[in-house]
Amino acid sequence: MGSGLLIALAYQLSAQSGPVDQALRATESPDTLRAAFTIRLVSDDAMREFRFDPRLDVSERWQLVASRGRDDDLDDTALEWSQEPAPDGRLFPDDLRPSVGARVDVSDLGAAWRVRFRHHPSLNDTELDAWFAERVDAEAWLDPQSGRFMRLDYELPHPVRGPKGGRLTAFEQSYLLESDPNWGFSYVASYSLSMTAKGGFRTIERHYTATVTSIEIFFANPQAEADYEARRQSSSGRGLAAR
């Protein structure tokens, strides 16, 4: 037997127990958790870097700090994000549990688990999100030692006709997750999107990444932090990220 042969143990597992449940708990951050962060958006043609801090006045919370090149789609993405009441909410994947569903398919690769699931639309998903959910393959990479998700991937297995015509020929979406050292919650450290669609005589391509280059996670106010600490101390044995 060659030393390069990797044997994976595959089985179906409840998402409500064991390391999968622990990893999902780490994504379930309280609504009072906030983040100040710097994010760099990069496409094939441009780069934009923004700084957001919810503790500043509304007019100063979202600031452009660096810019290069021209990309209208990238600017539209940044504008949409900047106009949200809490742009930092995008960094907390707190609706992942309903999206994963009750059971998952796990491949134990030793150092990591590959967790495959069918994405179920959550209350935060749009009609377009629900349309994608029925057509993409979804999987997560989990560190069973830390009980944290490291990566989420969504991929279109084959071309499909779009919900409003045209044809979506390729679609890949990935999230890289890290854990906040102070509170133990998982957050999105990097996001990438790559898609190709055809309609009429046009081919539309979008490729961009969003990378968090710095982040500070905290509670909205001292009372919210005190309430969380009290709940955490009273729920013994549920882990750092238990709610």
Side-chain angles (χ1 to χ4, degrees), residues 77-129:
T77 297
L79 179 62
E80 178 184 355
W81 198 348
S82 71
Q83 292 178 339
E84 294 176 358
D88 51 329
R90 290 198 185 195
L91 302 184
F92 301 114
D94 52 5
D95 62 345
L96 188 58
R97 185 182 293 275
S99 298
V100 167
R103 302 193 69 81
V104 296
D105 293 315
V106 172
S107 296
D108 185 349
L109 305 177
W113 286 8
R114 181 170 60 199
V115 181
R116 288 178 170 151
F117 59 96
R118 179 179 178 182
H119 181 90
H120 299 272
S122 69
L123 295 177
N124 292 333
D125 286 342
T126 65
E127 291 185 9
L128 184 59
D129 293 328

Side-chain angles (χ1 to χ4, degrees), residues 139-243:
E139 67 178 25
W141 290 91
L142 186 153
D143 178 357
Q145 297 299 318
S146 67
R148 297 292 185 271
F149 287 122
M150 301 178 291
R151 181 184 180 109
L152 300 170
D153 294 312
Y154 299 89
E155 182 177 3
L156 186 70
H158 51 74
V160 296
R161 188 167 298 279
K164 297 182 179 179
R167 192 168 183 80
L168 185 63
T169 59
F171 179 87
E172 295 181 4
Q173 191 177 44
S174 294
Y175 301 83
L176 298 183
L177 303 181
E178 294 186 5
S179 294
D180 169 57
N182 293 324
W183 305 107
F185 292 109
S186 297
Y187 67 90
V188 177
S190 180
Y191 167 79
S192 64
L193 171 70
S194 178
M195 63 167 288
T196 303
K198 296 183 178 180
F201 299 99
R202 296 181 58 201
T203 297
I204 302 170
E205 294 187 344
R206 289 200 66 191
H207 309 281
Y208 80 88
T209 61
T211 304
V212 175
T213 59
S214 68
I215 188 168
E216 179 187 358
I217 296 176
F218 47 86
F219 280 86
N221 53 64
Q223 185 59 53
E225 181 176 342
D227 291 344
Y228 171 74
E229 287 284 17
R231 289 195 301 271
R232 182 170 64 170
Q233 293 175 8
S234 66
S235 57
S236 60
R238 293 183 59 186
L240 179 62
R243 298 185 72 175

Side-chain angles (χ1 to χ4, degrees), residues 8-151:
L9 302 177
Y11 44 89
Q12 193 174 75
L13 191 68
S14 169
Q16 314 306 318
S17 62
V20 176
D21 176 65
Q22 185 180 356
L24 288 172
R25 286 186 183 278
T27 69
E28 295 171 337
S29 57
D31 294 339
T32 52
L33 205 66
R34 303 301 305 269
F37 62 91
T38 302
I39 191 160
R40 181 178 294 128
L41 307 179
V42 179
S43 70
D44 293 338
D45 301 312
M47 181 277 293
R48 304 285 185 268
E49 189 169 81
F50 297 91
R51 175 69 180 168
F52 173 78
D53 192 332
R55 296 166 295 192
L56 301 178
D57 291 338
V58 174
S59 61
E60 299 177 352
R61 290 180 179 179
W62 183 272
Q63 295 287 336
L64 176 66
V65 295
S67 177
R68 172 182 54 79
R70 178 175 178 178
D71 188 324
D72 293 340
D73 288 335
L74 195 67
D75 289 334
D76 289 343
T77 297
L79 179 62
E80 178 184 355
W81 198 348
S82 71
Q83 292 178 339
E84 294 176 358
D88 51 329
R90 290 198 185 195
L91 302 184
F92 301 114
D94 52 5
D95 62 345
L96 188 58
R97 185 182 293 275
S99 298
V100 167
R103 302 193 69 81
V104 296
D105 293 315
V106 172
S107 296
D108 185 349
L109 305 177
W113 286 8
R114 181 170 60 199
V115 181
R116 288 178 170 151
F117 59 96
R118 179 179 178 182
H119 181 90
H120 299 272
S122 69
L123 295 177
N124 292 333
D125 286 342
T126 65
E127 291 185 9
L128 184 59
D129 293 328
W131 182 87
F132 271 114
E134 295 178 355
R135 291 160 177 82
V136 298
D137 292 334
E139 67 178 25
W141 290 91
L142 186 153
D143 178 357
Q145 297 299 318
S146 67
R148 297 292 185 271
F149 287 122
M150 301 178 291
R151 181 184 180 109

